[in-house]
Amino acid sequence: MNPETIVSFEKVNKWFGQFHVLRDIDLQVRKGERIVICGPSGSGKSTLLDLIAGRRQAHAGRIELGSTVKLAYFDQHSHHVLEGTDAAGRQRKVIDVVKEAASSVELEGSTLSASQLLERFLFPPAQQHQPVSKLSGGERRRLHLCRLLIEAPNVLLLDEPTNDLDVQTLTVLEDFLEDFRGCVVVVSHDRYFLDRTVDRLFSFENSELHRFEGNYSAYLETSAARQEAARLASATQPAQAASRSERPEPAGTSTPRRRSFKESRELADLETQLPLWEEQRRQLELVLGAGGSDYAALEELTQQLAQLSERIHGGEERWLALSELAG
């Protein structure tokens, strides 16, 4: 294997029962690269990360890791390992969890102690000596991430890292990744996070992995355009078939549909509303991240956040569809 290569997949295949989830996957990840694996739900993204980490085994093909690889895997469930007690049967404190991994870490040419790294990840000294059991779910994910990073990995596997993290924590993570000199392989649908942190993109299509040239926003726009083209082609096939039966000569090239006045107004409104909705979502996440004892109010805010996120997702899809039409 090339000494610059960190991870190598050659014709890798994986099945779950009769389902062929990965088909002849070729992938080369080199030192310092930051890549995102994207695709529909159930397409095999997390399975690919599991294969890199050795949590699963391929049924065919070859997977090689560089001899100096030190992996850290951050997924949606691994923060549960923080539960429990220490060797003496006492409840583990926040700082104990990090010190179990290492007492310090080299970063940006300087040495950070466990306490200093915790402060960087928004755990003030007073909170560092609290039991882990008092932390919220989002705080435990943040603590688990901090523990992984103090182990000084050179390859980070991140599976939906932005889920359940508040805006402040996301900012800390993004800043950390800017300074991180290792390799990052991430599965995520967070457009802002991906546009800022990755430089290569691979997408799953029918169990096969394809490289895409461009950032995640460009990928979303291209995917939306393909879906719209496929929809239009499907809608016109019956009419084209009927036309061919009546007139065998080739049909002329159709003129692309233009946006109506109403659709242009809708597009302009979306361009105004989407940034406002994003800001509303950030504010809700800040309030939820602060926690509180009024659980009824927190539950209502959580429902508002879910509804707002759904509105943003729908608005983005509609914006992409409208922006592809001729003005």
Side-chain angles (χ1 to χ4, degrees):
M1 187 169 68
N2 188 312
E4 291 296 310
T5 301
I6 297 294
V7 179
S8 175
F9 277 45
E10 294 183 16
K11 303 300 180 185
V12 170
N13 287 261
K14 178 69 177 176
W15 291 270
F16 288 117
Q18 299 298 316
F19 180 50
H20 199 166
V21 64
L22 301 180
R23 189 187 306 274
D24 292 334
I25 300 299
D26 290 321
L27 176 66
Q28 305 290 320
V29 183
R30 294 177 175 81
K31 289 181 179 179
E33 287 187 328
R34 290 135 186 273
I35 73 171
V36 56
I37 309 295
C38 54
S41 297
S43 60
K45 304 183 297 293
S46 295
T47 300
L48 187 143
L49 292 188
D50 285 346
L51 289 174
I52 296 175
R55 293 184 179 182
R56 300 181 187 273
Q57 300 300 314
H59 289 113
R62 186 173 67 172
I63 300 174
E64 273 191 277
L65 302 184
S67 59
T68 61
V69 165
K70 185 177 181 182
L71 284 170
Y73 194 163
F74 182 70
D75 64 18
Q76 300 179 66
H77 310 290
S78 53
H79 63 282
H80 294 301
V81 301
L82 304 181
E83 303 286 357
T85 58
D86 60 18
R90 297 169 299 193
Q91 284 195 336
R92 299 160 81 194
K93 296 178 181 178
V94 170
I95 195 164
D96 295 334
V97 168
V98 177
K99 282 187 172 180
E100 287 170 5
S103 60
S104 64
V105 64
E106 293 290 329
L107 187 65
E108 302 174 25
S110 60
T111 301
L112 293 181
S113 67
S115 179
Q116 289 171 326
L117 186 63
L118 279 167
E119 284 194 68
R120 181 164 178 169
F121 276 80
L122 308 180
F123 290 101
Q127 191 179 23
Q128 293 176 18
H129 295 277
Q130 290 182 353
V132 175
S133 59
K134 291 189 176 182
L135 299 181
S136 68
E139 288 172 331
R140 294 186 192 193
R141 280 176 62 78
R142 191 197 315 157
L143 176 59
H144 179 64
L145 181 61
C146 188
R147 175 192 166 104
L148 287 178
L149 296 176
I150 204 170
E151 295 175 357
N154 54 20
V155 178
L156 275 177
L157 306 179
L158 305 175
D159 190 358
E160 300 292 356
T162 64
N163 286 4
D164 300 324
L165 294 183
D166 56 51
V167 174
Q168 288 177 304
T169 306
L170 286 176
T171 301
V172 172
L173 175 58
E174 290 164 359
D175 290 343
F176 186 94
L177 291 178
E178 282 188 358
D179 300 324
F180 182 66
R181 294 295 172 258
C183 181
V184 180
V185 182
V186 58
V187 168
S188 176
H189 299 90
D190 189 319
R191 180 169 65 180
Y192 177 82
F193 175 79
L194 292 176
D195 282 349
R196 183 176 176 186
T197 57
V198 303
D199 49 33
R200 293 179 69 199
L201 188 149
F202 292 87
S203 64
F204 273 108
E205 299 173 16
N206 300 320
S207 302
E208 298 178 349
L209 195 62
H210 300 271
R211 179 169 179 175
F212 178 84
E213 300 297 337
N215 63 12
Y216 189 64
S217 289
Y219 168 76
L220 288 178
E221 293 175 6
T222 301
S223 297
R226 287 178 179 173
Q227 292 173 6
E228 180 65 12
R231 184 189 68 79
L232 292 174
S234 176
T236 56
Q237 279 177 358
Q240 289 175 343
S243 176
R244 282 195 298 268
S245 65
E246 296 173 5
R247 296 186 303 169
E249 64 273 9
T253 302
S254 61
T255 302
R257 186 173 77 83
R258 301 179 64 85
R259 273 195 308 272
S260 66
F261 175 77
K262 183 178 179 181
E263 288 172 330
S264 295
R265 288 289 302 273
E266 182 184 1
L267 180 62
D269 288 343
L270 284 171
E271 289 174 344
T272 301
Q273 292 295 325
L274 280 171
L276 298 177
W277 294 342
E278 290 282 5
E279 180 59 28
Q280 290 175 18
R281 178 163 65 178
R282 292 191 186 95
Q283 293 301 324
L284 281 173
E285 288 172 340
L286 283 173
V287 175
L288 287 169
S293 57
D294 189 342
Y295 296 106
L298 290 175
E299 182 177 356
E300 182 178 351
L301 287 174
T302 301
Q303 292 176 355
Q304 291 178 18
L305 180 59
Q307 293 170 358
L308 183 58
S309 296
E310 185 175 349
R311 187 192 311 164
I312 290 171
H313 178 71
E316 289 176 337
E317 290 190 339
R318 181 61 175 161
W319 180 89
L320 289 172
L322 291 174
S323 65
E324 291 299 320
L325 298 176

